[in-house]
Amino acid sequence: EFPFYYCENCKKETIYRVCEGCSSLLTKRFGVKKQTIDISYYWENCLKKLNIKEYKNLVKGVRGVSNKESIPEHLLKGILRSKHSLYVNKDGTVRYDMTEMPITHFKPKEIGVNINKLKELDYNKDIYGNELINDEQILELKVQDVILPACDQNNEEGADEVLFKVANFIDDCLKYIYSLKPYYKLKNKDDLIGHLCIAISPHTSAGNVCRIIGFSKTQGFLAHPLMHSMMRRDCDGDEAAVILLMDGLLNFSRKFLPQHRGTTQDAPLVLTSILIPS
């Protein structure tokens, strides 16, 4: 059961709102209908966009679409996630889950970032007002800056590895689906430093903008107590997730969410950009 669109230019039906033949924006016809689709046609069209003749990796799909309007995500996004070994959440984003841990101060050597990079992020003086000159000095954490885990544990990848792959996936989406220039252009995982994420906790529908300033060998989400308080208004547990900001802006849609009750929980329906303690 997919939406039914018709392209007047190409004189053909499609399940996408943008015609894969002429790129026209289409109008839905007759709502949703049960139909047999030629998956080979859509598959070959995706490979053509990627400029490859075959794709051998496994691409996982779902048995049915559970959102209200039966809107399918573009097949090419599934292929690109498979290419980067990523797993998608119900709302179209990729998340990294962690246990919350409060922190107010840190040393540069503890988060694996050189002092020149920290100065670019406005960490110029230590807690005593001295100029930052070595990685042993103690710095006060800014309230919307976070330190993410970079240790592989129980065969699970660290946040640095996962978000690096997400950034590359986003750049591929921009290039192959939207015909735009890449945004992240990361050369290595250290290039994630300074980029923004959405932090969100379970049972809420409000995301909060945070900035990555480093990675630690602690398997936890290290953030300022005010940041934790902002994310978890009712203190029901200690789990949180981050979504790379461009992933949330580009791939999230509340129209992807299943239509049953409670589905808007854990989805970033609103986004707080500035933390106001009051």
Side-chain angles (χ1 to χ4, degrees):
E1 294 180 355
F2 282 150
F4 170 49
Y5 297 94
Y6 186 78
C7 180
E8 295 289 352
N9 293 333
C10 302
K11 306 298 181 189
K12 66 178 182 182
E13 297 179 11
T14 180
I15 61 172
Y16 295 136
R17 196 181 176 200
V18 175
C19 177
E20 60 276 2
C22 66
S23 299
S24 299
L25 190 63
L26 308 179
T27 304
K28 188 188 294 185
R29 292 252 188 113
F30 317 122
V32 174
K33 72 171 186 176
K34 198 159 191 175
Q35 55 188 305
T36 300
I37 64 169
D38 182 0
I39 191 64
S40 297
Y41 165 77
Y42 290 102
W43 180 263
E44 295 297 334
N45 192 268
C46 289
L47 297 189
K48 187 177 178 182
K49 284 180 180 288
L50 293 173
N51 198 27
I52 58 176
K53 291 188 176 179
E54 60 178 332
Y55 184 82
K56 295 182 178 180
N57 291 0
L58 179 67
V59 178
K60 292 187 176 182
V62 291
R63 196 172 287 274
V65 181
S66 58
N67 61 68
K68 186 177 180 181
E69 298 178 46
S70 295
I71 298 172
E73 193 181 44
H74 200 290
L75 178 59
L76 184 49
K77 287 191 179 180
I79 295 174
L80 291 175
R81 286 200 194 90
S82 168
K83 171 187 172 184
H84 295 287
S85 302
L86 293 169
Y87 299 93
V88 68
N89 191 46
K90 63 182 179 182
D91 61 15
T93 62
V94 177
R95 300 187 176 198
Y96 191 86
D97 290 317
M98 298 156 287
T99 300
E100 291 184 75
M101 300 176 73
I103 189 173
T104 56
H105 298 77
F106 68 95
K107 293 180 181 179
K109 72 171 187 178
E110 295 172 329
I111 65 169
V113 181
N114 68 61
I115 59 175
N116 291 327
K117 184 63 179 179
L118 283 171
K119 286 182 177 180
E120 288 178 23
L121 301 177
D122 204 29
Y123 285 93
N124 296 302
K125 296 183 184 296
D126 67 12
I127 58 172
Y128 303 109
N130 299 320
E131 196 72 24
L132 179 60
I133 57 173
N134 67 64
D135 64 3
E136 288 281 358
Q137 288 170 271
I138 300 173
L139 307 175
E140 183 177 355
L141 183 71
K142 298 180 188 300
V143 294
Q144 283 179 260
D145 285 350
V146 299
I147 301 163
L148 302 179
C151 52
D152 295 337
Q153 195 174 44
N154 300 324
N155 296 321
E156 291 186 7
E157 297 170 311
D160 56 339
E161 184 72 32
V162 172
L163 295 182
F164 179 71
K165 294 195 297 187
V166 173
N168 291 330
F169 158 70
I170 294 294
D171 282 351
D172 275 355
C173 284
L174 291 170
K175 179 180 177 181
Y176 294 113
I177 299 177
Y178 303 105
S179 301
L180 297 171
K181 292 180 179 177
Y183 174 76
Y184 287 105
K185 295 176 279 192
L186 305 186
K187 294 183 176 65
N188 55 56
K189 290 175 276 190
D190 291 338
D191 291 342
L192 285 164
I193 305 299
H195 279 293
L196 303 179
C197 289
I198 301 170
I200 189 166
S201 59
H203 313 134
T204 66
S205 54
N208 300 275
V209 172
C210 61
R211 181 176 68 165
I212 304 169
I213 61 152
F215 296 95
S216 80
K217 295 301 179 184
T218 303
Q219 191 64 26
F221 178 46
L222 297 171
H224 196 280
L226 283 174
M227 187 70 190
H228 289 300
S229 176
M230 187 75 172
M231 292 168 56
R232 187 170 305 287
R233 293 166 181 82
D234 56 358
C235 296
D236 62 338
D238 58 3
E239 185 187 6
V242 292
I243 306 165
L244 206 56
L245 181 59
M246 276 292 286
D247 191 23
L249 297 176
L250 188 66
N251 294 314
F252 168 76
S253 173
R254 63 186 303 159
K255 288 191 173 184
F256 286 152
L257 296 174
Q259 56 181 328
H260 56 74
R261 278 185 64 189
T263 191
T264 55
Q265 289 192 352
D266 311 334
L269 303 185
V270 296
L271 185 63
T272 300
S273 57
I274 299 175
L275 191 155
I276 303 172
S278 61

PDB file of all heavy atoms in Angstrom, residues 89-118:
ATOM      1  N   ASN A  89      16.333   4.604  12.430  1.00  0.00           N
ATOM      2  CA  ASN A  89      15.271   4.617  13.428  1.00  0.00           C
ATOM      3  C   ASN A  89      13.923   4.780  12.714  1.00  0.00           C
ATOM      4  O   ASN A  89      13.866   5.086  11.520  1.00  0.00           O
ATOM      5  CB  ASN A  89      15.517   5.782  14.399  1.00  0.00           C
ATOM      6  CG  ASN A  89      14.630   5.742  15.617  1.00  0.00           C
ATOM      7  OD1 ASN A  89      14.469   4.705  16.238  1.00  0.00           O
ATOM      8  ND2 ASN A  89      14.039   6.863  15.958  1.00  0.00           N
ATOM      9  N   LYS A  90      12.835   4.620  13.453  1.00  0.00           N
ATOM     10  CA  LYS A  90      11.494   4.685  12.858  1.00  0.00           C
ATOM     11  C   LYS A  90      11.173   6.051  12.240  1.00  0.00           C
ATOM     12  O   LYS A  90      10.281   6.154  11.405  1.00  0.00           O
ATOM     13  CB  LYS A  90      10.444   4.376  13.921  1.00  0.00           C
ATOM     14  CG  LYS A  90      10.419   5.392  15.055  1.00  0.00           C
ATOM     15  CD  LYS A  90       9.422   5.058  16.132  1.00  0.00           C
ATOM     16  CE  LYS A  90       9.466   6.103  17.248  1.00  0.00           C
ATOM     17  NZ  LYS A  90       8.543   5.806  18.338  1.00  0.00           N
ATOM     18  N   ASP A  91      11.907   7.092  12.661  1.00  0.00           N
ATOM     19  CA  ASP A  91      11.591   8.442  12.172  1.00  0.00           C
ATOM     20  C   ASP A  91      12.505   8.910  11.041  1.00  0.00           C
ATOM     21  O   ASP A  91      12.446  10.060  10.630  1.00  0.00           O
ATOM     22  CB  ASP A  91      11.623   9.452  13.327  1.00  0.00           C
ATOM     23  CG  ASP A  91      12.996   9.555  13.994  1.00  0.00           C
ATOM     24  OD1 ASP A  91      13.974   9.068  13.399  1.00  0.00           O
ATOM     25  OD2 ASP A  91      13.093  10.124  15.090  1.00  0.00           O
ATOM     26  N   GLY A  92      13.361   8.021  10.539  1.00  0.00           N
ATOM     27  CA  GLY A  92      14.223   8.380   9.404  1.00  0.00           C
ATOM     28  C   GLY A  92      15.625   8.797   9.782  1.00  0.00           C
ATOM     29  O   GLY A  92      16.432   9.110   8.906  1.00  0.00           O
ATOM     30  N   THR A  93      15.952   8.823  11.093  1.00  0.00           N
ATOM     31  CA  THR A  93      17.287   9.247  11.512  1.00  0.00           C
ATOM     32  C   THR A  93      18.105   8.069  12.051  1.00  0.00           C
ATOM     33  O   THR A  93      17.563   7.020  12.377  1.00  0.00           O
ATOM     34  CB  THR A  93      17.211  10.316  12.627  1.00  0.00           C
ATOM     35  OG1 THR A  93      16.557   9.745  13.772  1.00  0.00           O
ATOM     36  CG2 THR A  93      16.445  11.539  12.156  1.00  0.00           C
ATOM     37  N   VAL A  94      19.401   8.278  12.154  1.00  0.00           N
ATOM     38  CA  VAL A  94      20.296   7.301  12.771  1.00  0.00           C
ATOM     39  C   VAL A  94      20.685   7.845  14.146  1.00  0.00           C
ATOM     40  O   VAL A  94      21.084   9.002  14.266  1.00  0.00           O
ATOM     41  CB  VAL A  94      21.562   7.092  11.916  1.00  0.00           C
ATOM     42  CG1 VAL A  94      22.515   6.125  12.601  1.00  0.00           C
ATOM     43  CG2 VAL A  94      21.200   6.591  10.528  1.00  0.00           C
ATOM     44  N   ARG A  95      20.575   7.015  15.178  1.00  0.00           N
ATOM     45  CA  ARG A  95      20.841   7.483  16.544  1.00  0.00           C
ATOM     46  C   ARG A  95      21.967   6.699  17.205  1.00  0.00           C
ATOM     47  O   ARG A  95      22.175   5.537  16.891  1.00  0.00           O
ATOM     48  CB  ARG A  95      19.585   7.346  17.397  1.00  0.00           C
ATOM     49  CG  ARG A  95      18.423   8.145  16.859  1.00  0.00           C
ATOM     50  CD  ARG A  95      17.275   8.112  17.818  1.00  0.00           C
ATOM     51  NE  ARG A  95      16.190   8.957  17.343  1.00  0.00           N
ATOM     52  CZ  ARG A  95      15.214   9.391  18.105  1.00  0.00           C
ATOM     53  NH1 ARG A  95      15.187   9.067  19.384  1.00  0.00           N
ATOM     54  NH2 ARG A  95      14.268  10.148  17.616  1.00  0.00           N
ATOM     55  N   TYR A  96      22.622   7.368  18.144  1.00  0.00           N
ATOM     56  CA  TYR A  96      23.600   6.689  18.987  1.00  0.00           C
ATOM     57  C   TYR A  96      23.150   6.830  20.431  1.00  0.00           C
ATOM     58  O   TYR A  96      23.036   7.942  20.958  1.00  0.00           O
ATOM     59  CB  TYR A  96      25.003   7.270  18.809  1.00  0.00           C
ATOM     60  CG  TYR A  96      26.069   6.415  19.468  1.00  0.00           C
ATOM     61  CD1 TYR A  96      26.625   5.346  18.777  1.00  0.00           C
ATOM     62  CD2 TYR A  96      26.470   6.642  20.783  1.00  0.00           C
ATOM     63  CE1 TYR A  96      27.574   4.527  19.388  1.00  0.00           C
ATOM     64  CE2 TYR A  96      27.415   5.829  21.388  1.00  0.00           C
ATOM     65  CZ  TYR A  96      27.959   4.772  20.682  1.00  0.00           C
ATOM     66  OH  TYR A  96      28.887   3.962  21.286  1.00  0.00           O
ATOM     67  N   ASP A  97      22.861   5.696  21.084  1.00  0.00           N
ATOM     68  CA  ASP A  97      22.353   5.684  22.459  1.00  0.00           C
ATOM     69  C   ASP A  97      23.480   5.546  23.478  1.00  0.00           C
ATOM     70  O   ASP A  97      24.427   4.792  23.251  1.00  0.00           O
ATOM     71  CB  ASP A  97      21.376   4.521  22.663  1.00  0.00           C
ATOM     72  CG  ASP A  97      20.072   4.731  21.922  1.00  0.00           C
ATOM     73  OD1 ASP A  97      19.561   5.857  21.960  1.00  0.00           O
ATOM     74  OD2 ASP A  97      19.579   3.774  21.306  1.00  0.00           O
ATOM     75  N   MET A  98      23.323   6.247  24.610  1.00  0.00           N
ATOM     76  CA  MET A  98      24.339   6.216  25.663  1.00  0.00           C
ATOM     77  C   MET A  98      23.700   6.354  27.028  1.00  0.00           C
ATOM     78  O   MET A  98      22.544   6.757  27.150  1.00  0.00           O
ATOM     79  CB  MET A  98      25.325   7.389  25.481  1.00  0.00           C
ATOM     80  CG  MET A  98      26.113   7.368  24.201  1.00  0.00           C
ATOM     81  SD  MET A  98      26.651   9.045  23.762  1.00  0.00           S
ATOM     82  CE  MET A  98      25.096   9.758  23.224  1.00  0.00           C
ATOM     83  N   THR A  99      24.491   6.056  28.059  1.00  0.00           N
ATOM     84  CA  THR A  99      24.084   6.330  29.437  1.00  0.00           C
ATOM     85  C   THR A  99      24.539   7.736  29.795  1.00  0.00           C
ATOM     86  O   THR A  99      25.684   8.125  29.536  1.00  0.00           O
ATOM     87  CB  THR A  99      24.732   5.317  30.404  1.00  0.00           C
ATOM     88  OG1 THR A  99      24.305   4.001  30.046  1.00  0.00           O
ATOM     89  CG2 THR A  99      24.337   5.603  31.842  1.00  0.00           C
ATOM     90  N   GLU A 100      23.647   8.513  30.411  1.00  0.00           N
ATOM     91  CA  GLU A 100      23.976   9.895  30.757  1.00  0.00           C
ATOM     92  C   GLU A 100      24.922   9.969  31.946  1.00  0.00           C
ATOM     93  O   GLU A 100      24.742   9.264  32.946  1.00  0.00           O
ATOM     94  CB  GLU A 100      22.701  10.675  31.096  1.00  0.00           C
ATOM     95  CG  GLU A 100      21.804  10.905  29.889  1.00  0.00           C
ATOM     96  CD  GLU A 100      20.610  11.769  30.252  1.00  0.00           C
ATOM     97  OE1 GLU A 100      20.783  12.994  30.422  1.00  0.00           O
ATOM     98  OE2 GLU A 100      19.511  11.204  30.372  1.00  0.00           O
ATOM     99  N   MET A 101      25.922  10.852  31.842  1.00  0.00           N
ATOM    100  CA  MET A 101      26.872  11.077  32.933  1.00  0.00           C
ATOM    101  C   MET A 101      27.177  12.576  33.012  1.00  0.00           C
ATOM    102  O   MET A 101      27.584  13.164  32.012  1.00  0.00           O
ATOM    103  CB  MET A 101      28.169  10.286  32.705  1.00  0.00           C
ATOM    104  CG  MET A 101      27.973   8.783  32.619  1.00  0.00           C
ATOM    105  SD  MET A 101      29.498   7.892  32.239  1.00  0.00           S
ATOM    106  CE  MET A 101      30.357   8.044  33.788  1.00  0.00           C
ATOM    107  N   PRO A 102      26.974  13.198  34.184  1.00  0.00           N
ATOM    108  CA  PRO A 102      27.228  14.637  34.295  1.00  0.00           C
ATOM    109  C   PRO A 102      28.713  14.955  34.456  1.00  0.00           C
ATOM    110  O   PRO A 102      29.468  14.183  35.046  1.00  0.00           O
ATOM    111  CB  PRO A 102      26.447  15.043  35.553  1.00  0.00           C
ATOM    112  CG  PRO A 102      26.414  13.797  36.376  1.00  0.00           C
ATOM    113  CD  PRO A 102      26.383  12.642  35.417  1.00  0.00           C
ATOM    114  N   ILE A 103      29.105  16.091  33.917  1.00  0.00           N
ATOM    115  CA  ILE A 103      30.490  16.548  34.043  1.00  0.00           C
ATOM    116  C   ILE A 103      30.491  18.073  33.940  1.00  0.00           C
ATOM    117  O   ILE A 103      29.674  18.650  33.222  1.00  0.00           O
ATOM    118  CB  ILE A 103      31.385  15.910  32.942  1.00  0.00           C
ATOM    119  CG1 ILE A 103      32.861  16.195  33.185  1.00  0.00           C
ATOM    120  CG2 ILE A 103      30.963  16.368  31.555  1.00  0.00           C
ATOM    121  CD1 ILE A 103      33.789  15.458  32.235  1.00  0.00           C
ATOM    122  N   THR A 104      31.384  18.721  34.684  1.00  0.00           N
ATOM    123  CA  THR A 104      31.459  20.184  34.627  1.00  0.00           C
ATOM    124  C   THR A 104      32.828  20.672  34.166  1.00  0.00           C
ATOM    125  O   THR A 104      32.955  21.799  33.683  1.00  0.00           O
ATOM    126  CB  THR A 104      31.153  20.812  36.000  1.00  0.00           C
ATOM    127  OG1 THR A 104      32.053  20.258  36.975  1.00  0.00           O
ATOM    128  CG2 THR A 104      29.706  20.535  36.413  1.00  0.00           C
ATOM    129  N   HIS A 105      33.870  19.849  34.337  1.00  0.00           N
ATOM    130  CA  HIS A 105      35.231  20.243  33.975  1.00  0.00           C
ATOM    131  C   HIS A 105      35.964  19.090  33.297  1.00  0.00           C
ATOM    132  O   HIS A 105      35.598  17.927  33.490  1.00  0.00           O
ATOM    133  CB  HIS A 105      36.018  20.684  35.220  1.00  0.00           C
ATOM    134  CG  HIS A 105      35.435  21.885  35.894  1.00  0.00           C
ATOM    135  ND1 HIS A 105      34.311  21.813  36.691  1.00  0.00           N
ATOM    136  CD2 HIS A 105      35.814  23.182  35.877  1.00  0.00           C
ATOM    137  CE1 HIS A 105      34.021  23.032  37.144  1.00  0.00           C
ATOM    138  NE2 HIS A 105      34.929  23.875  36.669  1.00  0.00           N
ATOM    139  N   PHE A 106      36.984  19.411  32.525  1.00  0.00           N
ATOM    140  CA  PHE A 106      37.754  18.377  31.832  1.00  0.00           C
ATOM    141  C   PHE A 106      39.157  18.886  31.510  1.00  0.00           C
ATOM    142  O   PHE A 106      39.413  20.094  31.550  1.00  0.00           O
ATOM    143  CB  PHE A 106      37.048  17.979  30.525  1.00  0.00           C
ATOM    144  CG  PHE A 106      37.039  19.079  29.490  1.00  0.00           C
ATOM    145  CD1 PHE A 106      38.021  19.135  28.497  1.00  0.00           C
ATOM    146  CD2 PHE A 106      36.060  20.064  29.502  1.00  0.00           C
ATOM    147  CE1 PHE A 106      38.018  20.146  27.538  1.00  0.00           C
ATOM    148  CE2 PHE A 106      36.051  21.074  28.547  1.00  0.00           C
ATOM    149  CZ  PHE A 106      37.034  21.116  27.567  1.00  0.00           C
ATOM    150  N   LYS A 107      40.032  17.947  31.206  1.00  0.00           N
ATOM    151  CA  LYS A 107      41.363  18.276  30.699  1.00  0.00           C
ATOM    152  C   LYS A 107      41.420  17.901  29.219  1.00  0.00           C
ATOM    153  O   LYS A 107      40.877  16.861  28.826  1.00  0.00           O
ATOM    154  CB  LYS A 107      42.443  17.498  31.451  1.00  0.00           C
ATOM    155  CG  LYS A 107      42.593  17.886  32.919  1.00  0.00           C
ATOM    156  CD  LYS A 107      43.685  17.058  33.582  1.00  0.00           C
ATOM    157  CE  LYS A 107      43.841  17.420  35.046  1.00  0.00           C
ATOM    158  NZ  LYS A 107      44.891  16.597  35.709  1.00  0.00           N
ATOM    159  N   PRO A 108      42.086  18.696  28.383  1.00  0.00           N
ATOM    160  CA  PRO A 108      42.165  18.382  26.951  1.00  0.00           C
ATOM    161  C   PRO A 108      42.665  16.966  26.673  1.00  0.00           C
ATOM    162  O   PRO A 108      42.168  16.295  25.764  1.00  0.00           O
ATOM    163  CB  PRO A 108      43.150  19.429  26.421  1.00  0.00           C
ATOM    164  CG  PRO A 108      42.961  20.607  27.330  1.00  0.00           C
ATOM    165  CD  PRO A 108      42.699  20.006  28.685  1.00  0.00           C
ATOM    166  N   LYS A 109      43.613  16.472  27.477  1.00  0.00           N
ATOM    167  CA  LYS A 109      44.170  15.139  27.226  1.00  0.00           C
ATOM    168  C   LYS A 109      43.132  14.041  27.441  1.00  0.00           C
ATOM    169  O   LYS A 109      43.251  12.941  26.901  1.00  0.00           O
ATOM    170  CB  LYS A 109      45.398  14.882  28.101  1.00  0.00           C
ATOM    171  CG  LYS A 109      45.089  14.661  29.573  1.00  0.00           C
ATOM    172  CD  LYS A 109      46.337  14.198  30.323  1.00  0.00           C
ATOM    173  CE  LYS A 109      45.996  13.820  31.761  1.00  0.00           C
ATOM    174  NZ  LYS A 109      47.173  13.316  32.483  1.00  0.00           N
ATOM    175  N   GLU A 110      42.077  14.337  28.240  1.00  0.00           N
ATOM    176  CA  GLU A 110      41.049  13.337  28.537  1.00  0.00           C
ATOM    177  C   GLU A 110      40.053  13.163  27.395  1.00  0.00           C
ATOM    178  O   GLU A 110      39.320  12.176  27.362  1.00  0.00           O
ATOM    179  CB  GLU A 110      40.284  13.735  29.802  1.00  0.00           C
ATOM    180  CG  GLU A 110      41.148  13.738  31.050  1.00  0.00           C
ATOM    181  CD  GLU A 110      40.424  14.321  32.253  1.00  0.00           C
ATOM    182  OE1 GLU A 110      39.563  15.210  32.070  1.00  0.00           O
ATOM    183  OE2 GLU A 110      40.725  13.877  33.375  1.00  0.00           O
ATOM    184  N   ILE A 111      39.995  14.137  26.487  1.00  0.00           N
ATOM    185  CA  ILE A 111      39.000  14.050  25.409  1.00  0.00           C
ATOM    186  C   ILE A 111      39.637  13.961  24.024  1.00  0.00           C
ATOM    187  O   ILE A 111      38.941  14.016  23.012  1.00  0.00           O
ATOM    188  CB  ILE A 111      38.012  15.240  25.468  1.00  0.00           C
ATOM    189  CG1 ILE A 111      38.723  16.572  25.198  1.00  0.00           C
ATOM    190  CG2 ILE A 111      37.308  15.292  26.817  1.00  0.00           C
ATOM    191  CD1 ILE A 111      37.769  17.736  24.991  1.00  0.00           C
ATOM    192  N   GLY A 112      40.967  13.825  23.994  1.00  0.00           N
ATOM    193  CA  GLY A 112      41.662  13.565  22.740  1.00  0.00           C
ATOM    194  C   GLY A 112      41.640  14.684  21.720  1.00  0.00           C
ATOM    195  O   GLY A 112      41.627  14.438  20.509  1.00  0.00           O
ATOM    196  N   VAL A 113      41.621  15.933  22.196  1.00  0.00           N
ATOM    197  CA  VAL A 113      41.593  17.078  21.279  1.00  0.00           C
ATOM    198  C   VAL A 113      42.768  17.998  21.579  1.00  0.00           C
ATOM    199  O   VAL A 113      43.043  18.295  22.741  1.00  0.00           O
ATOM    200  CB  VAL A 113      40.262  17.864  21.416  1.00  0.00           C
ATOM    201  CG1 VAL A 113      40.224  19.050  20.447  1.00  0.00           C
ATOM    202  CG2 VAL A 113      39.073  16.954  21.163  1.00  0.00           C
ATOM    203  N   ASN A 114      43.460  18.464  20.523  1.00  0.00           N
ATOM    204  CA  ASN A 114      44.603  19.339  20.770  1.00  0.00           C
ATOM    205  C   ASN A 114      44.129  20.742  21.146  1.00  0.00           C
ATOM    206  O   ASN A 114      43.010  21.150  20.835  1.00  0.00           O
ATOM    207  CB  ASN A 114      45.564  19.361  19.568  1.00  0.00           C
ATOM    208  CG  ASN A 114      44.962  20.025  18.352  1.00  0.00           C
ATOM    209  OD1 ASN A 114      44.600  21.199  18.373  1.00  0.00           O
ATOM    210  ND2 ASN A 114      44.855  19.272  17.261  1.00  0.00           N
ATOM    211  N   ILE A 115      45.000  21.484  21.820  1.00  0.00           N
ATOM    212  CA  ILE A 115      44.591  22.768  22.393  1.00  0.00           C
ATOM    213  C   ILE A 115      44.273  23.810  21.313  1.00  0.00           C
ATOM    214  O   ILE A 115      43.453  24.701  21.546  1.00  0.00           O
ATOM    215  CB  ILE A 115      45.651  23.297  23.386  1.00  0.00           C
ATOM    216  CG1 ILE A 115      47.007  23.470  22.705  1.00  0.00           C
ATOM    217  CG2 ILE A 115      45.753  22.379  24.594  1.00  0.00           C
ATOM    218  CD1 ILE A 115      48.050  24.102  23.625  1.00  0.00           C
ATOM    219  N   ASN A 116      44.887  23.713  20.156  1.00  0.00           N
ATOM    220  CA  ASN A 116      44.582  24.672  19.080  1.00  0.00           C
ATOM    221  C   ASN A 116      43.138  24.522  18.616  1.00  0.00           C
ATOM    222  O   ASN A 116      42.447  25.512  18.351  1.00  0.00           O
ATOM    223  CB  ASN A 116      45.533  24.481  17.902  1.00  0.00           C
ATOM    224  CG  ASN A 116      46.952  24.901  18.233  1.00  0.00           C
ATOM    225  OD1 ASN A 116      47.159  25.837  19.017  1.00  0.00           O
ATOM    226  ND2 ASN A 116      47.928  24.215  17.672  1.00  0.00           N
ATOM    227  N   LYS A 117      42.689  23.265  18.527  1.00  0.00           N
ATOM    228  CA  LYS A 117      41.304  23.028  18.138  1.00  0.00           C
ATOM    229  C   LYS A 117      40.360  23.539  19.214  1.00  0.00           C
ATOM    230  O   LYS A 117      39.316  24.131  18.911  1.00  0.00           O
ATOM    231  CB  LYS A 117      41.077  21.523  17.902  1.00  0.00           C
ATOM    232  CG  LYS A 117      39.680  21.181  17.386  1.00  0.00           C
ATOM    233  CD  LYS A 117      39.429  21.799  16.017  1.00  0.00           C
ATOM    234  CE  LYS A 117      38.057  21.436  15.488  1.00  0.00           C
ATOM    235  NZ  LYS A 117      37.788  22.044  14.178  1.00  0.00           N
ATOM    236  N   LEU A 118      40.707  23.333  20.490  1.00  0.00           N
ATOM    237  CA  LEU A 118      39.857  23.817  21.582  1.00  0.00           C
ATOM    238  C   LEU A 118      39.777  25.346  21.584  1.00  0.00           C
ATOM    239  O   LEU A 118      38.719  25.917  21.882  1.00  0.00           O
ATOM    240  CB  LEU A 118      40.396  23.322  22.926  1.00  0.00           C
ATOM    241  CG  LEU A 118      40.091  21.854  23.244  1.00  0.00           C
ATOM    242  CD1 LEU A 118      40.858  21.415  24.480  1.00  0.00           C
ATOM    243  CD2 LEU A 118      38.591  21.640  23.447  1.00  0.00           C
TER     244      LEU A 118
END
